[in-house]
């Protein structure tokens, strides 16, 4: 299989074939996920919660992200690697460029930042320097203390209209990928149709161009015991982790995941 690039992801969107993305933090799972057919490996700052045991993603450092990105790179077999810029690592333009450079040098093909239209300037500057950017919108966990918890975003009409406008603005600024977290399914579909770049969803229904889940969630592992509504345990009915990873990819590609019960209404 040829390596997955931005061109591959754009072609999948144009063909209407769904993109399977999964979080990954080490070389062994990178290899297993590639063998299962995962298109995009995300070194998410969710590692602060699922690996480090924190109650939010805020304590994660750029050094943590670079360490896990380099580990994933060593196990990768052709997937695109996206790495999160963690909390406060893109607060200024200077920090953004420096820290994105560290993650790209560790092995990322793209960096992900959380926010809305205010990201436009950083995205434009990164893109012109050769760093593709994924813009994470909707529920942005690094802003949990502003949002007042891990809540669905875009339920009110004004907020929904703003999210569509912000998505278009970030595409125009140069974002190569959008990620929508915990957004009503209809709104996520509208945004996916409004932009040319691929849109990946988590808790955003079946109409986005692809799906992502946190690895530990889809393997049925939970530290807190709280399982979000949008999660499906793919270990159920499977006899190995490798089979569960393959079942996830198949379910994303044949659009049997996410089902209606995994989505949110306005
Ligand atoms: O950090 C992460 O794992 C993420 C996913 C929830 C999309 O951003």
């Amino acid at each position: 299989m040829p390596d997955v690039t931005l061109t591959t992801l754009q072609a999948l969107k144009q063909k209407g074939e769904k993109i399977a993305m999964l979080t990954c933090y080490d070389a062994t799972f990178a290899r297993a996920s590639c063998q299962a057919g995962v298109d995009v490996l995300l070194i998410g700052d969710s590692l602060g919660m699922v690996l480090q045991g924190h109650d939010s993603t805020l304590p994660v450092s750029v050094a943590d992200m670079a360490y896990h990105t380099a580990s994933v790179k060593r196990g990768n077999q052709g997937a695109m690697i996206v790495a999160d810029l963690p909390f406060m690592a893109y607060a200024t333009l200077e920090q953004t460029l420096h820290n994105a450079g560290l993650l790209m040098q560790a092995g990322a093909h793209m960096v992900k930042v959380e926010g809305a239209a205010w990201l436009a300037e950083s995205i434009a500057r990164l893109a012109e320097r050769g760093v593709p950017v994924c813009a994470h919108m909707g529920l942005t966990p690094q802003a949990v203390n502003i949002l007042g918890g891990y809540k669905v975003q875009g339920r009110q009409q004004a907020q929904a209209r703003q999210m569509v406008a912000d998505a278009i603005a970030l595409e125009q600024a140069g974002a190569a990928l959008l990620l929508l977290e915990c957004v009503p399914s209809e709104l996520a579909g509208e945004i996916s149709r409004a932009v040319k770049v691929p849109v990946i969803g988590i808790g955003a229904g079946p109409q986005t161009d692809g799906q992502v889940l946190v690895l530990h969630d889809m393997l049925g592992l939970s530290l807190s015991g709280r399982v979000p509504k949008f999660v499906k345990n793919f270990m159920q009915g499977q006899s190995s982790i490798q089979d569960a990873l393959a079942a996830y990819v198949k379910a994303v590609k044949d659009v049997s995941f996410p089902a209606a019960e995994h989505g949110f209404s306005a």
Side-chain angles (χ1 to χ4, degrees):
M1 287 285 284
D3 289 356
V4 176
T5 64
L6 267 181
T7 313
T8 321
L9 300 185
Q10 280 150 4
L12 289 175
K13 173 163 181 147
Q14 273 155 22
K15 284 189 286 185
E17 187 184 323
K18 300 289 182 182
I19 298 163
M21 182 175 188
L22 189 60
T23 71
C24 188
Y25 316 101
D26 67 34
T28 305
F29 271 102
R31 181 64 50 88
S33 298
C34 289
Q35 285 171 357
V38 172
D39 301 302
V40 185
L41 300 173
L42 170 65
I43 299 93
D45 60 358
S46 52
L47 68 84
M49 298 171 86
V50 298
L51 299 191
Q52 299 174 339
H54 296 296
D55 61 2
S56 79
T57 60
L58 273 59
V60 177
S61 67
V62 175
D64 294 333
M65 295 306 304
Y67 173 89
H68 288 283
T69 300
S71 304
V72 168
K73 178 191 163 63
R74 288 190 282 269
N76 185 36
Q77 281 183 325
M80 170 169 275
I81 297 177
V82 180
D84 270 344
L85 275 167
F87 181 63
M88 281 294 152
Y90 48 105
T92 67
L93 190 54
E94 198 177 342
Q95 285 175 322
T96 306
L97 298 176
H98 176 75
N99 292 323
L102 294 177
L103 297 187
M104 296 297 282
Q105 287 174 332
H109 303 119
M110 180 184 293
V111 298
K112 176 161 82 60
V113 287
E114 297 182 7
W118 65 269
L119 290 169
E121 168 75 4
S122 304
I123 290 173
R125 298 291 83 81
L126 285 167
E128 70 192 12
R129 285 164 176 79
V131 180
V133 183
C134 173
H136 180 154
M137 303 174 65
L139 169 55
T140 48
Q142 291 172 16
V144 62
N145 294 302
I146 295 279
L147 299 175
Y150 297 99
K151 298 176 185 166
V152 178
Q153 302 295 309
R155 278 194 152 139
Q156 287 91 29
Q157 191 60 351
Q159 206 191 13
R161 292 306 99 213
Q162 188 62 53
M163 213 183 285
V164 176
D166 287 353
I168 293 169
L170 295 184
E171 175 179 51
Q172 284 170 353
L177 202 63
L178 298 184
L179 190 150
L180 299 178
E181 178 166 356
C182 290
V183 168
S185 304
E186 285 306 317
L187 175 59
E190 182 185 344
I191 292 173
S192 304
R193 291 185 292 276
V195 296
K196 290 195 184 63
V197 296
V199 178
I200 309 292
I202 175 166
Q207 298 178 43
T208 54
D209 305 305
Q211 299 293 327
V212 61
L213 279 179
V214 170
L215 173 69
H216 294 57
D217 288 346
M218 58 78 69
L219 293 177
L221 298 170
S222 171
L223 202 55
S224 67
R226 288 188 303 274
V227 181
K229 172 183 158 75
F230 56 78
V231 168
K232 178 172 173 180
N233 177 358
F234 282 90
M235 275 306 285
Q236 275 173 0
Q238 306 299 333
S239 51
S240 71
I241 287 174
Q242 191 63 57
D243 288 350
L245 295 171
Y248 168 68
V249 173
K250 180 175 179 301
V252 170
K253 298 279 180 190
D254 69 17
V255 206
S256 56
F257 176 78
E261 80 227 40
H262 302 116
F264 299 101
S265 55

